[in-house]
Amino acid sequence: VMKQVSIGADGTLWALNTSLAGILRWSGSGWDAVPGQLTQISVGSAEHVWGVNAANEIFRWNGSDWTRMPGAMAQVSTGSDGTVWAIDAPGNVYRWTGSTWEKVPGQLKHISVGSADHIWGTNFQDRIFRRTGSGWQGLPGLLKEVSVSADGVAWGVNAANNIFYWTSATWQVIDGLLVNISVGPSVGERHLQ
């Protein structure tokens, strides 16, 4: 049983199962177990896979194994272009510079990076924000989680697990219920647990 699925812009698919936070990678015909344990995973593309374990340690997939990265974060998100943002347990926001974490003004409980141009998040009151230039723009509605693709397509899930799609002006409700959501290629694929 999967507890989280993340898909990259190139269709790369990774997941975490419920048994011991095991890591799985889709081979095209089945799931392959990958060594390690994570509580959260983010896939921007085959070259950009990051995750966080139960101790808030951060890891980056190097193509054959996990590389421990500096810092401690509750959630990490990587885009198709390698852009990486994260939040710590209190909700402070950080951007990966390539060598260190740079603190960014704002506080979020969830962050999603599609690319350097598409960074969205939700705060502890379920308010929705997207990064515009050097600041955050508030958007209408309330979502517990939002996911944005490399080309800016955004989907979200609210506290009642209803699914929403951003139309560029408002949130449109979509039939179904999801606990969480991951937006992949521009066709707007969505995967859940």
Side-chain angles (χ1 to χ4, degrees):
V1 175
M2 305 295 178
K3 74 174 186 175
Q4 187 200 349
V5 177
S6 185
I7 186 169
D10 60 1
T12 299
L13 186 61
W14 288 63
L16 303 179
N17 68 23
T18 54
S19 102
L20 301 173
I23 307 164
L24 302 170
R25 179 176 47 197
W26 182 252
S27 68
S29 60
W31 292 102
D32 295 330
V34 175
Q37 294 180 332
L38 297 174
T39 55
Q40 185 262 323
I41 193 164
S42 177
V43 179
S45 68
E47 295 82 31
H48 304 292
V49 181
W50 289 61
V52 175
N53 70 10
N56 289 339
E57 295 172 323
I58 308 156
F59 294 89
R60 178 176 61 192
W61 182 250
N62 64 25
S64 60
D65 201 1
W66 294 103
T67 300
R68 172 77 165 89
M69 303 303 288
M73 299 291 171
Q75 187 211 341
V76 65
S77 184
T78 182
S80 61
D81 59 2
T83 299
V84 181
W85 287 58
I87 51 175
D88 64 13
N92 298 305
V93 181
Y94 296 86
R95 173 180 36 225
W96 179 246
T97 67
S99 59
T100 189
W101 293 104
E102 175 184 55
K103 191 172 181 183
V104 175
Q107 190 174 39
L108 299 172
K109 72 171 177 178
H110 183 268
I111 194 162
S112 177
V113 177
S115 68
D117 296 327
H118 301 290
I119 302 158
W120 292 54
T122 57
N123 71 9
F124 290 97
Q125 293 77 40
D126 288 351
R127 292 193 177 103
I128 308 151
F129 297 89
R130 70 175 164 198
R131 192 80 178 162
T132 56
S134 62
W136 296 101
Q137 174 190 18
L139 296 172
L142 297 173
L143 296 174
K144 69 177 179 179
E145 183 178 311
V146 65
S147 182
V148 64
S149 69
D151 58 359
V153 174
W155 292 73
V157 178
N158 71 6
N161 297 327
N162 301 114
I163 308 161
F164 292 87
Y165 170 77
W166 180 248
T167 68
S168 298
T170 188
W171 292 99
Q172 177 181 345
V173 69
I174 305 295
D175 288 340
L177 298 172
L178 296 176
V179 175
N180 64 37
I181 194 162
S182 179
V183 179
S186 61
V187 294
E189 288 187 48
R190 46 193 195 277
H191 301 273
L192 85 95
Q193 254 333 207

